[in-house]
Amino acid sequence: MQDPADVRTGDRMTGELDALLRDRVDADDVDARAALPDGLLDELGARGYFALQADTALGGHALSHYNTFRMVSAAAAHCTPVALSLAIENALGAGAFLSVVPDGPLRELLGDVVRRGARSASADSEPQGAANQHRFTTATRIEGTDDYLLNGRKVFVGHAPVAEVVSVSATVHEDGADRVRMFFVRTDSPGVTSGDWHTYMGIKGFPNGWLEFRDVRVTGGHMLVERDAGHVVRTTPATARLVGRGRMHLIAAPALAVARLSVGWMRDFASRRVIDGRPLSEYDEVRRRLADSLAETFAIETMAQWCLLPDDQDRNLNLRFEQNAVKNAASLLAWDIAERAMSLLAAEGYETAASKRLRGAPPVPVERYLRDLRNLRISGGVDFQIDNWIGRLSILSYYYPEPEHAEELLRDGAGPLDTTGTALTARNLDHLHWAADRTRDFGHTCLELARRHPDRKELDAQERTLILLAGIARELLGMSLTLARASTLSASGDDSAQPLADIFCTAARQRIDDLHRRLQSPPAPDITAVTTAWMSGAGFGFLTPDGTPRPSHADRTEESTV
């Protein structure tokens, strides 16, 4: 639970931000023009909003992780592009890196950016694909110096068009091995080109674009040197830690904002719409959709608190799994909630706010937020790939090598569950026991999979299996946390969360049962034959737009050279 004094600080800061954005930002205009109001970024920087967690001596606000999350979520309730600007600076900008950079030239560079309220960016994704384990951008040591020449191209860089300094991940060949290092580069350096803005289906107005580096000279003092991870990884260790927590600001905070907005829109519409003389809110399916959406909004907020408050309170917990899992949990649940809002509001959902305004309907921006929200399932790693990574890098790591308590996992019967002091209703106590049993079953399942595949590479290649495992783990996490929070609130005299936890856990149990059935299903059909035929262009011509087979890739290549 957030400390009461910290709550008051967050209330004050979000109140100030709310007043500013109400005065300065028309979100529909931002979406239509694909541009933030003139001078807004300068004002946000001058107010220290790009350095929310930095020391006050540098012009920051020394906010907690959770209050930073609250600030981004408050901004998203007004305008998603503004929220993403706040998130990118506070999650991966100069202020964020100050927490991991030692004294020296690099810290001085970043400190100057923060002190002046200037803007920064983080460049990692490349045209060849963000999921590659190595980086095609290279940094080559200049012989006889400590400097490097940086060459490469980066895409999808938040704040690239407006940043003064950018962090760039690059491959360095040193001591006979390739390593990923992070370099900090001024965007006005010779050889740096800031390209056109990317245009997306949503988040219009968020400054995002590509950068190119051609023989850009970077002083060695502006390279972040970290402990050798022993192998080439997608990000450096410091960046990995920042990204894990940063996804909470970049993904979960806007997701929570949209979920809260959606349940409010659904309530307002259901209260004013009457069908066949009966209020919409009295229909069974409408009530179910409202209840599911409220319970899932509660779950998103609960998981966000768990991922951030322990760090604020120095509880010394490893939250990397939860922070990665909640990226998907928050974005997928918020998507479901917004989809329900779209369906419930029907034409008033699919219709743009501007069109509604012209005919006198309440200009609720469901359409705009749904476009913005789709980005959250992609940004920071597309949803299915995040689950694949979690399954491979997190879950399976506990079973290779085999754990010491392996035989215990294989024994039948539930282990003891101490519920002393638990303040849960009978239904929620049943959910708790069920979750504990399924957690034990999950360990059993993972162990059996590992034993059937002593060569881990065989199991790593079964990506659908890993995705299903991550889905089960995510659902068990959501159940555990919503029940824990409901219990804590009831212990303090507030029982309002009990029905929300019950609704969420009932649906989660159904989802877990479905995931487990899919995990245990008989051998899969021959997907390789189908996809190979389709990719070669040799089969399924009836599925093409004109109903004829496509030439193979080799044929197309030959034609293109004629």
Side-chain angles (χ1 to χ4, degrees), residues 203-508:
I203 60 171
K204 298 183 182 296
F206 173 52
N208 191 293
W210 57 267
L211 292 167
E212 188 169 17
F213 306 90
R214 292 187 178 181
D215 288 336
V216 178
R217 187 163 184 152
V218 186
T219 175
H222 290 169
M223 176 177 70
L224 179 59
V225 179
E226 303 180 65
R227 173 181 54 82
D228 187 1
H231 57 281
V232 176
V233 292
R234 178 170 178 251
T235 57
T236 64
T239 305
R241 289 191 295 272
L242 293 179
V243 167
R245 188 185 293 134
R247 286 194 182 106
M248 301 305 302
H249 303 319
L250 284 159
I251 308 299
L256 178 57
V258 178
R260 287 170 168 165
L261 289 169
S262 295
V263 294
W265 296 331
M266 294 167 76
R267 176 186 58 196
D268 294 344
F269 185 80
S271 65
R272 64 181 167 83
R273 181 57 59 101
V274 176
I275 302 298
D276 293 334
R278 185 180 177 190
L280 193 62
S281 59
E282 293 183 2
Y283 284 84
D284 175 66
E285 184 58 23
V286 172
R287 285 177 169 173
R288 290 177 182 275
R289 287 170 175 260
L290 278 167
D292 284 340
S293 299
L294 289 166
E296 289 166 2
T297 302
F298 172 74
I300 295 172
E301 182 184 63
T302 299
M303 287 187 275
Q305 290 179 349
W306 173 255
C307 286
L308 295 172
L309 288 175
D311 278 353
D312 287 335
Q313 297 167 7
D314 296 324
R315 297 193 174 230
N316 196 31
L317 296 178
N318 181 358
L319 298 167
R320 289 288 297 281
F321 165 74
E322 288 94 327
Q323 290 169 352
N324 286 325
V326 171
K327 186 274 183 191
N328 269 2
S331 60
L332 291 171
L333 288 173
W335 178 259
D336 288 344
I337 295 166
E339 272 283 295
R340 293 191 199 105
M342 174 70 76
S343 296
L344 182 63
L345 271 68
E348 284 191 28
Y350 189 62
E351 187 182 14
T352 66
S355 178
K356 296 175 198 177
R357 190 178 289 109
L358 286 174
R359 67 182 180 87
V364 177
V366 184
E367 174 266 343
R368 167 165 56 81
Y369 269 104
L370 198 66
R371 284 189 285 110
D372 291 346
L373 190 60
R374 192 60 182 86
N375 160 71
L376 302 184
R377 291 177 56 187
I378 298 169
S379 179
V382 70
D383 43 24
F384 73 87
Q385 187 66 358
I386 288 287
D387 277 343
N388 183 23
W389 289 333
I390 288 174
R392 177 160 43 90
L393 301 176
S394 183
I395 294 173
L396 289 188
S397 69
Y398 291 96
Y399 299 91
Y400 291 94
E402 187 169 288
E404 294 181 359
H405 64 294
E407 295 307 318
E408 179 186 342
L409 288 174
L410 296 176
R411 285 200 295 268
D412 293 331
L417 181 65
D418 184 4
T419 58
T420 304
T422 303
L424 290 173
T425 61
R427 284 185 59 87
N428 281 333
L429 195 59
D430 177 70
H431 291 317
L432 179 60
H433 282 282
W434 190 92
D437 291 343
R438 291 305 177 274
T439 301
R440 185 182 182 85
D441 292 344
F442 183 74
H444 190 158
T445 297
C446 292
L447 179 62
E448 287 187 332
L449 282 169
R451 285 184 168 181
R452 287 205 301 270
H453 302 278
D455 182 354
R456 180 170 171 175
K457 292 181 180 179
E458 293 180 359
L459 189 53
D460 284 347
Q462 297 182 21
E463 294 181 337
R464 177 59 62 84
T465 296
L466 304 184
I467 290 169
L468 293 173
L469 290 176
I472 293 171
R474 185 173 64 246
E475 295 290 356
L476 289 170
L477 172 66
M479 288 185 69
S480 303
L481 292 178
T482 52
L483 290 169
R485 188 177 176 204
S487 176
T488 299
L489 289 171
S490 285
S492 67
D494 180 2
D495 293 329
S496 61
Q498 294 280 354
L500 296 176
D502 183 13
I503 293 167
F504 180 82
C505 289
T506 299

Side-chain angles (χ1 to χ4, degrees), residues 102-171:
D103 290 337
L106 179 53
R107 188 171 186 83
E108 292 172 6
L109 172 69
L110 300 181
D112 177 65
V113 172
V114 171
R115 189 179 296 106
R116 292 185 293 104
R119 294 181 286 276
S120 54
S122 178
D124 181 49
S125 297
E126 296 176 329
Q128 296 89 342
N132 288 296
Q133 289 300 309
H134 69 285
R135 284 292 167 259
F136 291 88
T137 300
T138 60
T140 305
R141 183 84 168 266
I142 301 174
E143 189 173 352
T145 75
D146 290 330
D147 297 350
Y148 291 80
L149 285 182
L150 194 65
N151 284 279
R153 191 169 183 174
K154 299 290 187 177
V155 293
F156 314 136
V157 183
H159 273 194
V162 297
E164 284 190 20
V165 172
V166 57
S167 61
V168 184
S169 57
T171 299

Side-chain angles (χ1 to χ4, degrees), residues 500-517:
L500 296 176
D502 183 13
I503 293 167
F504 180 82
C505 289
T506 299
R509 288 171 68 160
Q510 295 168 352
R511 292 191 293 266
I512 290 172
D513 282 342
D514 177 62
L515 288 166
H516 193 264
R517 279 193 297 270

